[in-house]
Each structure stands twice: as structure tokens, then as C-alpha cells.
Amino acid sequence: MVHCAHRNRAVGDSYTSDMAITDTVIHEIDVLRRLLDDDYVAVQVLYPRKTRNASDHLHDPQLVMMETAKGIRIDVEVFVNCKYGCDIQCEVVGGPAARASARAPA
């Protein structure tokens, strides 16, 4: 299983819900597909209760759950109005020796 969190301090009013996928999560989608050498077979986007910091037209945060052909589950949390800064993390969880964590510099 892979869990990623992509958090930004804030986005402008022109940022829309679909841009969370096409402009933000697209990087995780692309990189993980290459790193895992696997294709996606299922994707689901969930919209939990939105933050009060989001524009009326923006669902924020969003949870993107993907599954690959080899059965790997990928969960990406995208929260573009977290207000505390930019924070991008990725964690791979598997067997005892397969846990790795990476964090992008702020």
C-alpha cells in the first residue's frame, strides 16, 4: 500500500475541484505509475467535509484511492487550503522490510 499526502498553504479562487486531480495529484499519479511499473485499474475520489478555507466551488480536501493491476492500493490525500505551508509526503507500507517514507523539502 502507498499513502501520499499533498498539502498546500492555499490556492486562489480560480482553482477548482477538478484541478486537485489535473494540477496537483497528477504528479503522484504519474510518478507512482512509473515507480511501480503498473497501470491503474480503478480510481475513486471521495469528498469529506470541506474545510472552511475552501472557496464555495472547491471540494477541499479530497481523498483519491487508486488500485493497480497488480493489486497495489494507493491513497492520496490532497488538501490545498491547509494554511500551514507546503507538505508533500509519500509512504510505502508492505511487509516488515518494505516500509519506506519520503518527504519533499518545504
Side-chain angles (χ1 to χ4, degrees):
M1 181 171 144
V2 179
H3 176 76
C4 296
H6 196 130
R7 301 179 187 106
N8 294 337
R9 180 187 344 234
V11 294
D13 284 338
S14 62
Y15 191 93
T16 60
S17 295
D18 63 322
M19 292 170 76
I21 306 298
T22 61
D23 289 5
T24 304
V25 179
I26 191 66
H27 304 294
E28 285 82 359
I29 292 169
D30 186 43
V31 168
L32 290 169
R33 182 176 176 267
R34 292 173 191 265
L35 286 175
L36 298 171
D37 190 30
D38 203 355
D39 286 318
Y40 301 109
V41 295
V43 176
Q44 180 180 16
V45 180
L46 301 175
Y47 302 106
R49 187 173 89 182
K50 68 188 275 183
T51 177
R52 66 177 181 216
N53 299 321
S55 302
D56 289 338
H57 62 276
L58 175 60
H59 291 283
D60 188 44
Q62 295 181 27
L63 302 174
V64 182
M65 300 185 312
M66 300 177 278
E67 184 176 354
T68 69
K70 296 176 185 174
I72 298 170
R73 293 292 309 209
I74 301 166
D75 300 324
V76 181
E77 169 198 336
V78 58
F79 187 12
V80 295
N81 285 291
C82 71
K83 298 292 185 189
Y84 68 82
C86 185
D87 181 20
I88 301 169
Q89 302 177 36
C90 188
E91 181 178 42
V92 178
V93 180
R99 185 174 174 139
S101 182
R103 184 177 202 147

